[in-house]
Short mmCIF file of all heavy atoms in Angstrom, two decimals:
data_model
loop_
_atom_site.label_atom_id
_atom_site.label_comp_id
_atom_site.label_asym_id
_atom_site.label_seq_id
_atom_site.Cartn_x
_atom_site.Cartn_y
_atom_site.Cartn_z
N ILE A 1 -15.64 -8.93 10.83
CA ILE A 1 -14.83 -8.18 11.78
C ILE A 1 -13.35 -8.50 11.61
O ILE A 1 -12.51 -7.61 11.62
CB ILE A 1 -15.30 -8.50 13.22
CG1 ILE A 1 -16.69 -7.90 13.47
CG2 ILE A 1 -14.31 -7.94 14.24
CD1 ILE A 1 -17.30 -8.32 14.80
N GLU A 2 -13.05 -9.79 11.44
CA GLU A 2 -11.65 -10.19 11.23
C GLU A 2 -11.10 -9.59 9.95
O GLU A 2 -9.95 -9.13 9.90
CB GLU A 2 -11.54 -11.72 11.19
CG GLU A 2 -11.77 -12.40 12.53
CD GLU A 2 -10.74 -11.99 13.56
OE1 GLU A 2 -9.55 -11.83 13.17
OE2 GLU A 2 -11.09 -11.80 14.72
N LYS A 3 -11.92 -9.63 8.89
CA LYS A 3 -11.50 -9.04 7.63
C LYS A 3 -11.27 -7.55 7.78
O LYS A 3 -10.31 -6.98 7.24
CB LYS A 3 -12.54 -9.33 6.54
CG LYS A 3 -12.15 -8.79 5.17
CD LYS A 3 -13.25 -9.09 4.14
CE LYS A 3 -12.86 -8.51 2.78
NZ LYS A 3 -13.93 -8.75 1.79
N SER A 4 -12.17 -6.90 8.53
CA SER A 4 -12.07 -5.45 8.73
C SER A 4 -10.78 -5.12 9.50
O SER A 4 -10.10 -4.14 9.21
CB SER A 4 -13.29 -4.96 9.50
OG SER A 4 -13.19 -3.56 9.73
N LYS A 5 -10.45 -5.96 10.49
CA LYS A 5 -9.21 -5.73 11.26
C LYS A 5 -7.99 -5.87 10.36
O LYS A 5 -7.06 -5.08 10.43
CB LYS A 5 -9.13 -6.75 12.41
CG LYS A 5 -10.11 -6.46 13.53
CD LYS A 5 -9.97 -7.53 14.63
CE LYS A 5 -10.96 -7.28 15.77
NZ LYS A 5 -10.87 -8.31 16.82
N ASP A 6 -8.02 -6.91 9.52
CA ASP A 6 -6.89 -7.12 8.60
C ASP A 6 -6.75 -5.93 7.64
O ASP A 6 -5.64 -5.47 7.37
CB ASP A 6 -7.09 -8.39 7.79
CG ASP A 6 -7.00 -9.64 8.66
OD1 ASP A 6 -6.43 -9.55 9.77
OD2 ASP A 6 -7.52 -10.71 8.25
N GLU A 7 -7.90 -5.45 7.13
CA GLU A 7 -7.86 -4.32 6.22
C GLU A 7 -7.36 -3.06 6.95
O GLU A 7 -6.64 -2.24 6.38
CB GLU A 7 -9.24 -4.05 5.62
CG GLU A 7 -9.67 -5.12 4.62
CD GLU A 7 -11.08 -4.90 4.12
OE1 GLU A 7 -11.78 -4.02 4.70
OE2 GLU A 7 -11.50 -5.59 3.16
N LEU A 8 -7.79 -2.91 8.22
CA LEU A 8 -7.34 -1.76 9.00
C LEU A 8 -5.82 -1.76 9.13
O LEU A 8 -5.17 -0.73 8.90
CB LEU A 8 -8.00 -1.80 10.37
CG LEU A 8 -7.50 -0.76 11.39
CD1 LEU A 8 -7.83 0.64 10.91
CD2 LEU A 8 -8.13 -0.99 12.75
N ILE A 9 -5.25 -2.91 9.50
CA ILE A 9 -3.82 -3.00 9.64
C ILE A 9 -3.10 -2.73 8.30
O ILE A 9 -2.12 -1.97 8.22
CB ILE A 9 -3.41 -4.39 10.18
CG1 ILE A 9 -3.96 -4.59 11.60
CG2 ILE A 9 -1.90 -4.57 10.17
CD1 ILE A 9 -3.79 -5.99 12.12
N THR A 10 -3.64 -3.30 7.21
CA THR A 10 -3.05 -3.14 5.91
C THR A 10 -3.09 -1.68 5.47
O THR A 10 -2.08 -1.13 5.00
CB THR A 10 -3.78 -4.01 4.87
OG1 THR A 10 -3.69 -5.37 5.25
CG2 THR A 10 -3.16 -3.85 3.49
N ASN A 11 -4.25 -1.05 5.63
CA ASN A 11 -4.40 0.33 5.17
C ASN A 11 -3.57 1.31 6.00
O ASN A 11 -2.95 2.22 5.44
CB ASN A 11 -5.89 0.74 5.23
CG ASN A 11 -6.73 -0.01 4.21
OD1 ASN A 11 -6.25 -0.35 3.14
ND2 ASN A 11 -7.99 -0.26 4.55
N VAL A 12 -3.58 1.10 7.32
CA VAL A 12 -2.78 1.99 8.17
C VAL A 12 -1.31 1.83 7.85
O VAL A 12 -0.55 2.82 7.75
CB VAL A 12 -3.07 1.72 9.67
CG1 VAL A 12 -2.08 2.46 10.55
CG2 VAL A 12 -4.47 2.13 10.04
N SER A 13 -0.87 0.57 7.66
CA SER A 13 0.54 0.34 7.34
C SER A 13 0.92 1.02 6.03
O SER A 13 2.00 1.63 5.93
CB SER A 13 0.79 -1.18 7.24
OG SER A 13 0.51 -1.83 8.46
N HIS A 14 0.04 0.92 5.05
CA HIS A 14 0.32 1.53 3.75
C HIS A 14 0.36 3.03 3.86
O HIS A 14 1.29 3.69 3.35
CB HIS A 14 -0.77 1.10 2.74
CG HIS A 14 -0.56 1.66 1.37
ND1 HIS A 14 -0.88 2.96 1.03
CD2 HIS A 14 -0.03 1.09 0.23
CE1 HIS A 14 -0.60 3.18 -0.24
NE2 HIS A 14 -0.09 2.06 -0.74
N ASP A 15 -0.64 3.62 4.52
CA ASP A 15 -0.72 5.07 4.60
C ASP A 15 0.37 5.67 5.47
O ASP A 15 0.70 6.86 5.32
CB ASP A 15 -2.10 5.49 5.14
CG ASP A 15 -3.18 5.28 4.10
OD1 ASP A 15 -2.84 5.03 2.92
OD2 ASP A 15 -4.37 5.36 4.46
N ILE A 16 0.94 4.90 6.38
CA ILE A 16 2.05 5.39 7.19
C ILE A 16 3.37 5.17 6.44
O ILE A 16 4.25 6.04 6.45
CB ILE A 16 2.09 4.71 8.56
CG1 ILE A 16 0.92 5.20 9.42
CG2 ILE A 16 3.41 4.96 9.28
CD1 ILE A 16 0.85 4.55 10.80
N ARG A 17 3.48 4.03 5.81
CA ARG A 17 4.74 3.66 5.16
C ARG A 17 5.07 4.59 3.99
O ARG A 17 6.25 4.97 3.81
CB ARG A 17 4.67 2.21 4.68
CG ARG A 17 5.97 1.71 4.04
CD ARG A 17 5.79 0.30 3.54
NE ARG A 17 4.69 0.23 2.56
CZ ARG A 17 4.15 -0.92 2.19
NH1 ARG A 17 4.53 -2.07 2.73
NH2 ARG A 17 3.17 -0.92 1.29
N THR A 18 4.05 4.99 3.21
CA THR A 18 4.29 5.78 2.03
C THR A 18 4.95 7.13 2.38
O THR A 18 6.02 7.46 1.84
CB THR A 18 2.99 6.00 1.24
OG1 THR A 18 2.46 4.73 0.89
CG2 THR A 18 3.23 6.83 -0.01
N PRO A 19 4.35 7.95 3.25
CA PRO A 19 5.05 9.22 3.60
C PRO A 19 6.31 8.97 4.40
O PRO A 19 7.28 9.75 4.28
CB PRO A 19 3.99 9.97 4.43
CG PRO A 19 3.08 8.93 4.95
CD PRO A 19 3.05 7.86 3.92
N LEU A 20 6.33 7.91 5.22
CA LEU A 20 7.52 7.66 6.01
C LEU A 20 8.71 7.33 5.11
O LEU A 20 9.85 7.74 5.40
CB LEU A 20 7.25 6.51 6.98
CG LEU A 20 8.34 6.22 8.03
CD1 LEU A 20 8.57 7.46 8.87
CD2 LEU A 20 7.94 5.05 8.89
N THR A 21 8.46 6.60 4.04
CA THR A 21 9.54 6.27 3.09
C THR A 21 10.11 7.54 2.48
O THR A 21 11.34 7.70 2.33
CB THR A 21 9.00 5.34 1.99
OG1 THR A 21 8.49 4.15 2.59
CG2 THR A 21 10.08 5.00 1.00
N SER A 22 9.21 8.46 2.12
CA SER A 22 9.68 9.75 1.57
C SER A 22 10.47 10.54 2.57
O SER A 22 11.54 11.12 2.26
CB SER A 22 8.47 10.58 1.08
OG SER A 22 7.80 9.90 0.04
N ILE A 23 9.99 10.59 3.80
CA ILE A 23 10.69 11.34 4.86
C ILE A 23 12.11 10.80 5.07
O ILE A 23 13.09 11.52 5.12
CB ILE A 23 9.89 11.29 6.18
CG1 ILE A 23 8.60 12.06 6.03
CG2 ILE A 23 10.73 11.85 7.34
CD1 ILE A 23 7.65 11.90 7.22
N ILE A 24 12.19 9.45 5.21
CA ILE A 24 13.50 8.83 5.42
C ILE A 24 14.41 9.07 4.24
O ILE A 24 15.63 9.34 4.40
CB ILE A 24 13.31 7.31 5.66
CG1 ILE A 24 12.59 7.06 6.99
CG2 ILE A 24 14.67 6.60 5.66
CD1 ILE A 24 12.22 5.61 7.23
N GLY A 25 13.85 9.00 3.02
CA GLY A 25 14.67 9.21 1.81
C GLY A 25 15.25 10.62 1.76
O GLY A 25 16.47 10.78 1.51
N TYR A 26 14.40 11.62 1.94
CA TYR A 26 14.88 13.01 1.85
C TYR A 26 15.80 13.36 3.03
O TYR A 26 16.80 14.06 2.86
CB TYR A 26 13.70 13.96 1.77
CG TYR A 26 12.99 13.93 0.45
CD1 TYR A 26 11.69 13.47 0.34
CD2 TYR A 26 13.66 14.34 -0.73
CE1 TYR A 26 11.05 13.41 -0.89
CE2 TYR A 26 13.02 14.28 -1.93
CZ TYR A 26 11.72 13.82 -2.02
OH TYR A 26 11.11 13.77 -3.24
N LEU A 27 15.48 12.90 4.22
CA LEU A 27 16.37 13.15 5.37
C LEU A 27 17.68 12.44 5.18
O LEU A 27 18.74 12.93 5.63
CB LEU A 27 15.68 12.68 6.66
CG LEU A 27 14.48 13.50 7.13
CD1 LEU A 27 13.91 12.93 8.45
CD2 LEU A 27 14.88 14.96 7.32
N GLY A 28 17.66 11.25 4.52
CA GLY A 28 18.90 10.55 4.24
C GLY A 28 19.80 11.35 3.30
O GLY A 28 21.03 11.42 3.48
N LEU A 29 19.18 11.97 2.30
CA LEU A 29 19.96 12.82 1.37
C LEU A 29 20.58 14.00 2.12
O LEU A 29 21.77 14.34 1.91
CB LEU A 29 19.05 13.34 0.26
CG LEU A 29 18.59 12.30 -0.79
CD1 LEU A 29 17.59 12.91 -1.75
CD2 LEU A 29 19.80 11.76 -1.58
N LEU A 30 19.80 14.61 3.00
CA LEU A 30 20.32 15.76 3.76
C LEU A 30 21.43 15.32 4.70
O LEU A 30 22.44 16.02 4.89
CB LEU A 30 19.16 16.41 4.53
CG LEU A 30 18.08 17.08 3.68
CD1 LEU A 30 16.92 17.53 4.56
CD2 LEU A 30 18.64 18.27 2.90
N LYS A 31 21.23 14.17 5.36
CA LYS A 31 22.22 13.70 6.33
C LYS A 31 23.54 13.32 5.65
O LYS A 31 24.64 13.60 6.20
CB LYS A 31 21.67 12.47 7.07
CG LYS A 31 22.60 11.91 8.13
CD LYS A 31 21.98 10.72 8.82
CE LYS A 31 22.95 10.15 9.86
NZ LYS A 31 22.38 8.97 10.54
N SER A 32 23.45 12.73 4.49
CA SER A 32 24.67 12.29 3.78
C SER A 32 25.38 13.43 3.09
O SER A 32 26.51 13.26 2.64
CB SER A 32 24.32 11.20 2.77
OG SER A 32 23.46 11.73 1.75
N GLY A 33 24.70 14.56 2.97
CA GLY A 33 25.31 15.71 2.28
C GLY A 33 25.26 15.59 0.78
O GLY A 33 25.87 16.38 0.07
N ALA A 34 24.49 14.63 0.27
CA ALA A 34 24.40 14.44 -1.19
C ALA A 34 23.48 15.48 -1.84
O ALA A 34 23.53 15.66 -3.05
CB ALA A 34 23.89 13.04 -1.50
N ALA A 35 22.63 16.11 -1.03
CA ALA A 35 21.68 17.10 -1.60
C ALA A 35 22.41 18.39 -1.93
O ALA A 35 23.28 18.87 -1.18
CB ALA A 35 20.57 17.35 -0.61
N LEU A 36 22.05 18.96 -3.04
CA LEU A 36 22.59 20.25 -3.41
C LEU A 36 22.03 21.33 -2.50
O LEU A 36 20.90 21.25 -2.04
CB LEU A 36 22.24 20.57 -4.88
CG LEU A 36 22.81 19.57 -5.94
CD1 LEU A 36 22.29 19.91 -7.31
CD2 LEU A 36 24.34 19.58 -5.90
#
């Protein structure tokens, strides 16, 4: 159960962080005006 909880936190963190990183990156480009 403890291992499952740790895996749950790890997997959720990974699956949220990956798209979130992309969102922040592209929104950052738009906000800074660097995007064509």
